[in-house]
Amino acid sequence: MAFPHLQQPSFLLATLKADSINKPFAQRCQDLVKVIEDFPAKELHAIFPWLVESIFGSLDGVLVGWNLRCLQGRVSPVEYSIAMEFLDPSGPMMKLVYKLQAEDYSFDFPVSFLPGPVKASIQENALPDSPLYHNKIQCPPAGGLGLNLALNPFEYYMFFFALSLISQKPMPMSLHVRTSDCAYFILVDRYLSWFLPTEGSVPPPLASSPGGSNPSPAPRTPAMPFASYGLHTSLLKRHISHQTSVNADPASHEIWRSETLLQVFVEMWLHHYSLEMYQKMQSPHAKESFTPTEEHVLVVRLLLKHLHAFANSLKPDQASPSTHSHATSPLEEFKRAAVPRFVQQKLYVFLQHCFGHWPLDASFRAVLEMWLSYLQPWRYAPEKQVQSNDSQPRCVSEKWAPFIQENLLMYTKLFVSFLNRALRTDLVSPKNALMVFRVAKVFAQPNLTEMIQKGEQLFLEPELIIPHRQHRLFTVTSSFLSPWPPVVTDASFKVKSHVYSLEGQDCRYTPMFGPEVRTLVLRLAQLITQAKQTAKSISDQCAESPASRSFLSWLGFGATDPNSCYPGNDLDEMGQDSVRKTDEYLEKALEYLRQIFRLSEAQLAQLTLALGNTRDENGKQQLPDCIVGEEGLILTPLGRYQIINGLRRFEIEYQGDLELQPIRSYEITSLVRALFRLSSAINRRFAGQMAALCSRNDFLGSFCRYHLTEPALSNRHLLSPVGRRQATSPARGPRLSLRFLGSYRTLLLLLMAFFVASLFCIGPLPCSLLLVLGYLLYAIAMTLLTERGKLHQL
C-alpha cells in the first residue's frame, strides 16, 4: 500500500478506516507497519487514538477490536501470529508509541472509564493517591463533556490495553476458551517480562527507522525528569537527584516505563474497591457494581507470579534494605519496592471482596490459586531448592520471615475468611474438597506455621510508648512513591504498621491460632469426616448403572423414590474415581489441619465418634441435625448445612388429596387433566350409588371399597410434630380415580400387552377382554387379602 507523503492526516485516517472494512486482517497489518515506518509523528498523531481503539476495543465495550481475549494460536494461527508480532514489545505498535513519545504528544482519556474509587475521587475534586494521575487531570472546555486525563502515548496505550480486560463483555459460556492460550494473556506475560525483567535491565526503546537515533521516550517537563507523576516525585527521584546528569545512568532514564506499566496494571485490575469504605463497613465496597471474572483473576495471578520473580531477582547483597545505598541502581530499588508499595494494599482489599462475594462454587479455585501464589514468594525465587528424597514438603526458609510478617493479614485474616467459606460448601464435591486440600497443604509447609505465629506475637505484644512512633506509623504507609522513610528495625512496629494501615487502628484482630479460629477448624474437621462418610454412602447407593436403574423404575420394576440418590454434588457425573479423589483430598486435608493447629489424634477420634454413622440400624437415612422446640423440630446450623449439600434429608411425602397432587414427570399432562375431569363428572353423577355399594357388608361391598376409597389420613406416616396436630381433615367419600391411565408406564405396558397378543394371533378386542378378566382376578385376590388383614388387626 503506497501513501503519498503529502497527504493530510485526516485523509490518512479516513483511508485506514476504509481499509479496516474492505481489506483482510493480514493486509491491514502490513499496511499499518508501512505507515508507521514511512510517516512522521505529526501525521501518526492523528491516527493513534483510532488505532488503539480498533485494536483493544472501545472503553464502553461496544467495539471488540481484535478480540485478543478470544484469539488463540491453535484456532486462528495466521491471525494470532500477525497480531502477536504487531503488538510485541519490540513490534511495530510499540515503535509507533516511542515515535510519538519523542515528540511529547498527549492524548485525552475520559475519567468516566477509570475504576470506581479513582473516578469518585477525581469527581469530588480530591487527588487520587496514585501519582499516576497527578498533573494529568484536565477540566472540560466550554461546552465539553466530562473530565479527562492528559496521557503520554505510552500511558495511553497501556491504559487501553489494561482496561480491555474488564471493559469488554465476558466471554459466553458456550465458548470454551482457555485463558492461558489467548493472545491477551500471552501479551501480558511478554510485557511483564520485557518491562519488569528478572535478568539484566529494561531494553531501551527501539529506533524509529534504520540508522535513526533512538527517541527519548521519557515524559518531558521544564522542571525535572519523571514529572508526569506530578506533585509526588518518582520512586527514582532521590536516586537521580544526586547525579550530575541523567545520561550518567541510562537505566534511570528508561525505568519510568516499568514504573508506569506496573502502576497501570495495578490501578486498572485491582483498584476497584476503596480501602476507606472497606475499613468503615468491613465489607469491601459492597455498593460497587464491579464484579471480577475468572479470566480477570487469572491475569492478576500472572501479574503476582511475575512480580514475585521480579522482586526475588535481586542479588543477595542487595535484597536487604539495610544494604541500600546511593550506588544501588534504580531498577534494583524498584524491585525492592514493587510488591509492598505498589501491590499489597489494593490486592488485600481485592481479595477480601472476592472471598466475601464470590459464588460458592468451583470457580472460586481461580481466586484461591491467586491468593496462594501471593503467599508463596519462595516458589518464584531464582535459587533452586533441593528436593528431598522422601517427597516431604520443603521447609520455608527463615529469610521469608519479614515478608510473612509484613503481609500477616494476607495469611491470617484471609485464612479465616476461607474457613467460613469452606463451612458453607459441599465438601463431598471433589472440586471443593480439592480447594480445602490445597489451602491446608500450603499452610502445612514446614516452618510456615511457626513464622505466622511469630508475626502474630509481634503484633499482639504491648507497644512501648515512644513519642515519635505514632507519627512514624503513618509516614511508613502514606505513599509508596514518597521519599524513603528511615529504616525501621523494630519488627513489632512493622507488623503493627501493616495491620493498622489496612484495617485501621480500631480494628479487632482475631488470632489465627486463637480459640475462635480453632473452633472453626474443629467444625471443618467434623464436616470433612462427615463428607468422607457421605461420599462412601453415595458410592454404595449409586453403584448400579444409572441407565438400567432409571429404565426399570420407569417400567415399575424398580425403586420410584426420586430421592434415592443424593443431589447437590458432582459425584454421579464422575463415578467411582471421583469418590476416590474426594476421599484422598479430604483425608490429606484433615492430616494437614491436624499438623497446622496441633490437633491430637484423640480430638479427631472424638469428632468421628460424636458424628456417628450416617445411617441407623435399619439402614435408613437419619434426619438432619435438629432440636425439638415448642412448634416442632428446629434445624441447627449443621442441619441446614446437611440439607443444602444433600448430606441428609427429611422423608417428605405428599399428604393432601392424591387426585390434586402435582403432575409428575412420568405422566402426560393433558391426559391427566382430561381423566381428572372425567373422573369428577362420574363421581358427581354416581356419588350416591357408590356410597351405597361401599356401605354393604358383603363381598361386593369389600370389592367396591378396595377400588373407590383411599387410605385414611390417620393411617399415613406424618413426620412433622405440627402436622400431627393438624391431621384432622374431613374423610372423603367413595370416588373413582382414572389418573393411573395418564402414566407413560401404564400406556407402555398396555402397548406391550397388545403387541405380545398380536404375536399369538389374538386381536385387540379379545386381548382387552383378557386384560379385564385378569385384572378382575387380581382385584378379587387383593380384596380377600385386605379383608383378612383387617380381621387380624381386630
Side-chain angles (χ1 to χ4, degrees), residues 405-474:
Q405 294 168 8
E406 294 167 15
N407 290 272
L408 184 64
L409 291 177
M410 293 284 193
Y411 290 89
T412 59
K413 188 159 185 176
L414 290 180
F415 180 83
V416 176
S417 298
F418 175 77
L419 281 181
N420 289 321
R421 284 186 62 94
L423 291 172
R424 292 179 289 147
T425 55
D426 177 15
L427 299 183
V428 181
S429 167
K431 297 175 182 178
N432 292 333
L434 174 60
M435 286 192 281
V436 175
F437 162 73
R438 288 282 297 123
V439 173
K441 181 180 180 181
V442 168
F443 278 83
Q445 294 177 84
N447 201 37
L448 178 58
T449 300
E450 289 75 9
M451 286 191 284
I452 295 175
Q453 284 183 299
K454 176 63 175 175
E456 288 196 323
Q457 292 170 2
L458 291 172
F459 173 73
L460 296 173
E461 71 179 21
E463 184 176 2
L464 299 176
I465 305 299
I466 301 177
H468 63 276
R469 173 165 291 192
Q470 291 299 327
H471 173 70
R472 285 172 58 200
L473 177 64
F474 297 100

Side-chain angles (χ1 to χ4, degrees), residues 614-670:
T614 58
R615 295 179 178 273
D616 59 18
E617 62 277 5
N618 295 323
K620 294 182 178 179
Q621 186 72 22
Q622 287 186 342
L623 296 180
D625 189 68
C626 50
I627 58 176
V628 180
E630 295 181 358
E631 297 297 327
L633 300 179
I634 301 176
L635 283 173
T636 64
L638 176 60
R640 285 193 292 271
Y641 170 86
Q642 292 167 338
I643 289 180
I644 290 173
N645 294 290
L647 305 179
R648 293 187 184 182
R649 54 185 166 82
F650 289 103
E651 296 293 340
I652 300 175
E653 298 177 359
Y654 184 77
Q655 301 291 334
D657 187 350
L658 296 179
E659 283 293 291
L660 300 178
Q661 62 181 314
I663 297 176
R664 309 299 185 184
S665 61
Y666 52 81
E667 293 177 321
I668 305 174
T669 302
S670 57

Side-chain angles (χ1 to χ4, degrees), residues 340-361:
R341 299 261 180 134
F342 286 79
V343 178
Q344 186 193 75
Q345 182 187 89
K346 294 179 176 66
L347 176 64
Y348 175 73
V349 179
F350 183 82
L351 283 171
Q352 280 283 21
H353 181 274
C354 291
F355 273 66
H357 295 79
W358 202 276
L360 292 172
D361 57 22

Side-chain angles (χ1 to χ4, degrees), residues 284-296:
H285 218 283
K287 295 182 180 180
E288 280 284 347
S289 60
F290 179 78
T291 302
T293 62
E294 189 172 350
E295 178 192 14
H296 178 185

Side-chain angles (χ1 to χ4, degrees), residues 70 74 82 100 159 219 406 578 616 632 747 766:
C70 298
R74 59 183 179 85
I82 293 173
L100 296 174
F159 265 63
E406 294 167 15
S578 174
D616 59 18
L747 296 178

Side-chain angles (χ1 to χ4, degrees), residues 518-536:
R518 190 177 184 85
T519 301
L520 293 177
V521 172
L522 290 174
R523 281 183 56 196
L524 180 60
Q526 185 179 22
L527 291 179
I528 288 175
T529 304
Q530 184 171 12
K532 289 177 59 181
Q533 295 180 353
T534 304
K536 185 178 184 305

